[in-house]
Amino acid sequence: MPGLRGDETREGEDLESKTLFRMDSLHMESGTVHGHTHLPSRDSKDWYVILQLAFQSIGIVYGDIGTSPLYVYSSTFTDGVKDNDDILGVLSLVFYTLTLIPLFKYVFIVLKANDNGDGGTFALYSLICRYAKVGLIPSQQAEDRDVSNFRLELPSSRSLKRASKLKSKMEKSNFAKFFLLFATMLGTSMVIGDGVLTPCISVLSAVNGIKEAADSMTEDKIVWISVAILVCLFMVQRFGTDKVGYSFAPIICVWFALIGGIGVYNFIKFDPTVVKAINPKYIIDYFTRNKKQAWISLGGVVLAITGTEALFADVGHFTVRSIQVSMCTVTYPALILAYTGQASFLRKHHEDFRDLFFKSIPHGLYWPMFVVAVLASIIASQAMISGTFSIIQQSLSLGCFPRVKIVHTSAKHEGQVYIPEVNYLLMLACVGVTIGFRTTKKIGNAYGIAVVFVMTLTSSFMVLVMIMIWKTHILLVISYVVVIGSIELLYLSSVLYKFDQGGYLPLAFALVLMVIMYIWNNVYRRKYYYELDNKISPEMVKELATSTNINRIPGLAIFYSELVHGIPPIFKHYMENVPALHSALIFVSIKSLPISKVPMEERFLFRRVDPSDLYVFRCVVRYGYNDVRFEEEPFERLLVERLKEFIREGMLMIPTLTPSNGDTVSVELQEGLIYSENENADTTRIEEGRRCQEDVDKDIEKVDRAALAGIVHLIGETEVIAEKGSGFGKKVLINTFYNILKRNLRQTDKVFDIPHKRLLKVGMIYEL
């Protein structure tokens, strides 16, 4: 409510949710969650744990940005060094770009916009969706806000008017809703494109160094050695990053120590005066001398911050504090020293600009450095491949990506997943790019566009978060846009200039992925609205279940659906063709919440369909976009146990009155309070309680008998076609493209990992 502070508003909402009880909602279960205690914030861990996590993050997060010194100067000075002071100008650009984007923007601002510890484009989108109703699927429920990590900790009422106005405009604008989803899809597509280009440029740059030791090594041989390494890298993905992930940290630490140490050596030996590049005047002089060529060269400078998005995307595996510690104490100093040392060397060896990294290595360290460089490039590739798998998993939760099999490769580390189909497509794309482009110069042109696009989208989302959620002072928001936004737009304009020199590649990747994601999401939404418009009323369920033509057979049927509000039309279709109903039936709706994880004890929401003697239940199973689905333990066993808990709690605790202490009072207890003067009140309550307990025991026994008789999983296999009279575009979208995607992807039962012996598919045609 306007004028109330955040904590006062929350108290009001809590009171309202307790006193205004709606009998037709799935409220009861969410209001009676037991055994849940809020875990302390991960940032409250002691410094020993933070330092451990900081060490581990070095191997997972910084592989990409850490290997950038392999190719930044060679990609910037593509035609050689024209003036010695140009080196100072480029070094100054690198220094301020590293300081403002990875350090200032990401480490100290963007990391704070994490979603209960998780980061990335989807985290920002989920924060906005939780604050404002901008989702395109109408599956929101009041009970969602009762999930312990759903609510946002909002600041006080400052800038509340501006935030409320923006929120209201976004909620009323369909264009804003579609644009937010489009931007999220675009960011996802670009990150996937990044996952293709990072292995190519990193491995090719590292292997390229072998030319220094073997003159007979031709470009063809380097390309094929790189291809062999890439193929091996993708072949071992199915074993999971858990097997090798935490062995990466020592290697990257050695890498940072070597590039930092060599940087100091070259700085002292060749030209210590490059330290004056800290003066931004050299940037102005560089642009004054080279004009358009300086602007074009920014496409090479921006490669110094490749992998920066990983700082935010991978924060879920660590903590904000651990990422800040590792960046400020190890990564940032090592990179600054490396670039400074290379600049010192280049000031005295202009002719070595093409292979500057390996030329600048002291002779005795060449082979150790070559081996570590190859290992570091593989680690950088691994980080981006794993990140691609994770972001596709998140896309699935929003209905934005076709069904693929998600394999969770680690029982210890959440979020480490492997997707077989995507892995092989990435491998083919990487091999194709490496063979087709052959040099890091051309791949660098493509790489820069993917990097800057994602950063610009993140900044756009951050502005919305600052205004609506953080309620940041408008002058600070404007300062952020002017400083960070102008830098990123300048870099974006530069990399787009090289569109015809390889820059088209990530945009082509993104276009293909965007088309696939749009087709899938569009039909996904149409199907949801069709089911919502044609859902079965409670009266019809009762009529179907009590029909004399329907036989009740022993067993428990679990009917899967994506519809949250009501029972899908496919159930009526099933009953009309199979006139038999199991002794107990649960309609399970799988729902994704715009949060990273839903605690297990808050995952299930039940409601009983009247009349109660039908033993028909509805259940919404809520997952976050990073949750493991159907793999914690046998899903059906967990579902039955939670159903029995609901019966126990639901029959005994029917909330209709909330006293001042916040406890829920049952109908029977209220009657006792009101008629306490009646000498038979106690006896009445005891009898009511006994009858209630008998009903509970009877219901639980019924559910147990049904489960023992056998559990059957029913899945709707809907065929979708465009309705009669649809336009040509709609027919092509649904009848052709969507159905081609559907036929070539995994079926629902394979995604849910349901045993075939107890699976029954129900077919129905939806005319959309």
Side-chain angles (χ1 to χ4, degrees), residues 445-475:
N445 294 339
Y447 198 21
I449 288 184
V451 170
V452 184
F453 246 111
V454 175
M455 288 182 181
T456 308
L457 284 171
T458 298
S459 288
S460 303
F461 277 120
M462 280 303 302
V463 171
L464 290 177
V465 170
M466 285 178 176
I467 295 174
M468 286 200 309
I469 301 174
W470 292 353
K471 299 177 177 59
T472 307
H473 195 284
I474 191 64
L475 291 179

Side-chain angles (χ1 to χ4, degrees), residues 631-659:
E631 291 192 23
E632 301 93 340
E633 57 179 287
F635 177 74
E636 58 189 36
R637 188 174 68 198
L638 188 61
L639 183 68
V640 171
E641 288 302 316
R642 292 307 166 100
L643 174 59
K644 290 192 288 186
E645 285 181 23
F646 164 75
I647 292 171
R648 290 190 195 99
E649 296 168 353
M651 292 293 289
L652 294 173
M653 301 289 290
I654 303 175
T656 56
L657 176 67
T658 306

Side-chain angles (χ1 to χ4, degrees), residues 286-515:
Y286 177 63
F287 276 91
T288 304
R289 275 192 307 274
N290 297 280
K291 298 180 174 64
K292 181 181 177 181
Q293 203 57 41
W295 171 68
I296 294 172
S297 72
L298 290 176
V301 176
V302 79
L303 298 181
I305 53 175
T306 57
T308 300
E309 193 68 24
L311 288 174
F312 186 39
D314 292 336
V315 71
H317 299 304
F318 309 100
T319 64
V320 171
R321 184 69 67 201
S322 63
I323 297 285
Q324 290 173 336
V325 168
S326 57
M327 180 65 178
C328 294
T329 60
V330 178
T331 306
Y332 179 76
L335 289 173
I336 295 298
L337 290 174
Y339 287 118
T340 304
Q342 287 185 18
S344 297
F345 180 86
L346 189 58
R347 293 260 289 180
K348 304 297 182 184
H349 305 86
H350 289 188
E351 69 282 359
D352 292 333
F353 71 95
R354 291 190 189 280
D355 300 302
L356 176 61
F357 181 83
F358 287 103
K359 292 281 189 183
S360 65
I361 297 172
H363 292 295
L365 287 175
Y366 173 78
W367 281 111
M369 197 65 190
F370 174 75
V371 172
V372 176
V374 172
L375 291 174
S377 67
I378 291 172
I379 292 168
S381 306
Q382 175 65 54
M384 284 310 301
I385 294 167
S386 300
T388 301
F389 292 155
S390 296
I391 204 166
I392 288 176
Q393 177 198 11
Q394 294 171 359
S395 302
L396 278 166
S397 70
L398 285 180
C400 293
F401 204 85
R403 288 192 297 257
V404 288
K405 183 176 178 60
I406 305 288
V407 179
H408 292 265
T409 59
S410 172
K412 293 185 293 182
H413 307 295
E414 297 177 356
Q416 296 188 1
V417 296
Y418 165 68
I419 305 174
E421 298 96 327
V422 174
N423 185 60
Y424 290 116
L425 289 174
L426 282 177
M427 182 181 73
L428 292 174
C430 281
V431 169
V433 168
T434 305
I435 294 174
F437 280 55
R438 305 179 72 81
T439 65
T440 56
K441 177 184 174 182
K442 291 181 180 177
I443 298 175
N445 294 339
Y447 198 21
I449 288 184
V451 170
V452 184
F453 246 111
V454 175
M455 288 182 181
T456 308
L457 284 171
T458 298
S459 288
S460 303
F461 277 120
M462 280 303 302
V463 171
L464 290 177
V465 170
M466 285 178 176
I467 295 174
M468 286 200 309
I469 301 174
W470 292 353
K471 299 177 177 59
T472 307
H473 195 284
I474 191 64
L475 291 179
L476 293 177
V477 176
I478 292 171
S479 301
Y480 176 86
V481 172
V482 169
V483 177
I484 302 299
S486 59
I487 291 171
E488 290 177 345
L489 288 176
L490 183 64
Y491 277 123
L492 185 61
S493 66
S494 175
V495 294
L496 286 173
Y497 179 79
K498 298 180 180 180
F499 180 83
D500 61 337
Q501 302 170 41
Y504 59 84
L505 189 65
L507 295 178
F509 278 142
L511 180 63
V512 172
L513 286 166
M514 284 285 291
V515 168

Side-chain angles (χ1 to χ4, degrees), residues 25 46 95 199 207 229 273 374 510 663 758:
S25 73
D46 58 35
F95 171 75
V207 175
I229 291 174
T273 64
V374 172
D663 295 332
R758 293 187 281 115

Side-chain angles (χ1 to χ4, degrees), residues 216-265:
S216 61
M217 189 61 61
T218 63
E219 186 180 274
D220 282 342
K221 290 180 181 178
I222 289 172
V223 168
W224 287 109
I225 290 172
S226 301
V227 167
I229 291 174
L230 288 171
V231 170
C232 292
L233 177 64
F234 282 100
M235 286 300 179
V236 300
Q237 289 301 310
R238 66 178 182 272
F239 299 113
T241 55
D242 182 40
K243 306 295 187 295
V244 290
Y246 286 89
S247 64
F248 289 169
I251 297 171
I252 297 294
C253 279
V254 170
W255 167 258
F256 280 136
L258 285 172
I259 63 172
I262 291 171
V264 172
Y265 171 81

